[in-house]
Amino acid sequence: MKIFLSDKLVDEKDATVSVFDHGLLYGDGIFEGIRAYNSRVFLLDEHIDRLYDSAKAIALEIPMSKQEMSEAVVNTCKANHISDGYIRLIVTRGKGTLGLNPFLCEKAMVIIIAAKIQLYPKSFYETGLKIVTVGTIRNHSEAINPRIKSLNYLNNIMAKIEAINSGCEECLMLNSQGQVAEASGDNIFVIKKGVITTPPSWCGALEGLTRNKVMELAREKGYEVREDVLARYDLYVADEVFLTGTAAEIISVIDIDKRQIGTGKPGKVTAELSALYTECVRSEGTPIS
Ligand code: PXG
């Protein structure tokens, strides 16, 4: 496998970073998870924009232009003959000292991995997920703003541990006010009487690109789509609940905290949106060759 490292493609065995890299020492960095479908990189410009916004927020200077970064992503796919896959784009603070001071780091390190994607088993989509509310709350927005896709995912990992220990694959995370934020690696939506609602990002949600695309597709179909504060109550009494993310795409939730959601089976509106999304990923994106 070829990895883009710093400024060029190298063999996987040579793709190493310093033990003094602050990405490793402190989780000081940012990332994107991107999909390629049908020889096209889906939502590439949107991912690059979010990456540079995350960088700005943590005062990290990326040593490449957006254009160069986009080209590097496409070239990494090309070099690995990826037409359908998952791309991990990482920018760390780079090599520094054992102290916290990020300004002593030499230069931000850029890493791009283009690989095959490990999907959720098909059965999860057919039967839907059971999720549980966890005690770990989503990062406070004035600590690490959840809109920053930072390399520091301990918050989400602690939540994921609780979910797995409870026998669930995913969880529901609340914010410090007890409002619904998102899942550990996906956004959440509820459907009630035909109205589709997802928490606004200020409630502690990452501004997911799948989330944004699903909102756009639903509006085009004539659905009323809202960004509004949600309590767990709203989820429990919903007709349908689903999660969105680059890796998971759209996946139904059929049980939350042992409350059956709707009929207890993946719902019709979720299936409709899922079909629209599938159509979209097949036909849109930046060509790889
Ligand atoms: N919320 C969080 C906290 C995320 O990390 C999403 C929502 C969905 O955003 P997009 O832009 O992908 O629609 C994410 C992104 C995994 C995994 O292995 C998932 C993400 C990141 C890293 C790993 O499930 N999700």
Side-chain angles (χ1 to χ4, degrees):
M1 190 190 287
K2 295 277 187 197
I3 311 286
F4 184 90
L5 187 79
S6 180
D7 53 4
K8 58 180 179 298
L9 286 161
V10 299
D11 284 332
E12 186 181 337
K13 65 173 175 22
D14 301 318
T16 55
V17 293
S18 166
V19 293
F20 291 97
D21 192 303
H22 278 210
L24 173 67
L25 289 176
Y26 300 115
D28 184 357
I30 51 172
F31 76 103
E32 284 295 322
I34 311 173
R35 284 286 282 275
Y37 298 90
N38 210 8
S39 296
R40 288 194 186 93
V41 182
F42 189 56
L43 299 176
L44 179 58
D45 291 347
E46 288 82 351
H47 280 287
I48 299 291
D49 283 345
R50 188 170 65 182
L51 181 82
Y52 279 73
D53 284 348
S54 292
K56 184 87 180 282
I58 69 161
L60 174 70
E61 199 183 317
I62 301 178
M64 287 165 77
S65 67
K66 286 188 179 183
Q67 180 65 32
E68 287 166 336
M69 189 65 84
S70 297
E71 283 168 17
V73 168
V74 169
N75 288 337
T76 308
C77 291
K78 225 185 266 179
N80 291 288
H81 311 288
I82 294 292
S83 53
D84 291 87
Y86 188 70
I87 302 144
R88 181 57 59 92
L89 171 47
I90 304 151
V91 186
T92 77
R93 190 76 63 176
K95 187 180 169 191
T97 66
L98 287 180
L100 280 179
N101 190 347
F103 302 116
L104 297 178
C105 295
E106 290 164 11
K107 186 185 169 201
M109 171 59 83
V110 178
I111 302 164
I112 307 172
I113 307 166
K116 288 279 166 207
I117 180 160
Q118 189 118 47
L119 296 168
Y120 265 159
K122 214 170 158 220
S123 62
F124 287 14
Y125 294 86
E126 287 160 1
T127 57
L129 294 179
K130 294 182 179 183
I131 68 172
V132 64
T133 309
V134 292
T136 305
I137 58 164
R138 196 68 180 90
N139 279 330
H140 192 284
S141 58
E142 292 309 322
I144 299 174
N145 194 295
R147 292 168 76 181
I148 302 170
K149 207 160 161 57
S150 101
L151 278 187
N152 199 317
Y153 253 52
L154 265 184
N155 177 220
N156 312 62
I157 289 166
M158 300 286 279
K160 188 91 178 181
I161 288 170
E162 287 187 66
I164 294 165
N165 287 347
S166 307
C168 295
E169 290 85 21
E170 251 300 0
C171 59
L172 174 65
M173 295 182 81
L174 307 177
N175 63 17
S176 60
Q177 304 298 305
Q179 297 153 338
V180 171
E182 58 180 340
S184 72
D186 294 300
N187 290 110
I188 192 157
F189 284 77
V190 308
I191 306 168
K192 181 79 172 174
K193 295 190 176 24
V195 178
I196 303 172
T197 310
T198 192
S201 61
W202 62 261
C203 280
L206 179 80
E207 240 173 63
L209 298 179
T210 318
R211 166 191 185 270
N212 293 351
K213 184 52 99 179
V214 166
M215 288 167 71
E216 184 187 313
L217 292 171
R219 284 191 175 121
E220 276 169 22
K221 265 280 152 184
Y223 284 103
E224 183 178 342
V225 180
R226 296 183 189 157
E227 286 182 80
D228 207 351
V229 178
L230 292 169
R232 279 195 292 170
Y233 170 84
D234 299 302
L235 273 54
Y236 295 157
V237 303
D239 299 326
E240 299 180 34
V241 173
F242 64 87
L243 307 180
T244 63
T246 299
E249 300 177 329
I250 298 173
I251 191 157
S252 286
V253 174
I254 47 99
D255 187 294
I256 304 176
D257 301 335
K258 296 273 194 291
R259 275 75 156 183
Q260 176 182 300
I261 307 304
T263 62
K265 295 204 173 75
K268 280 203 186 86
V269 180
T270 305
E272 186 188 359
L273 294 174
S274 204
L276 289 170
Y277 186 76
T278 302
E279 218 176 277
C280 192
V281 301
R282 284 216 193 102
S283 55
E284 291 179 12
T286 307
I288 290 172
S289 48

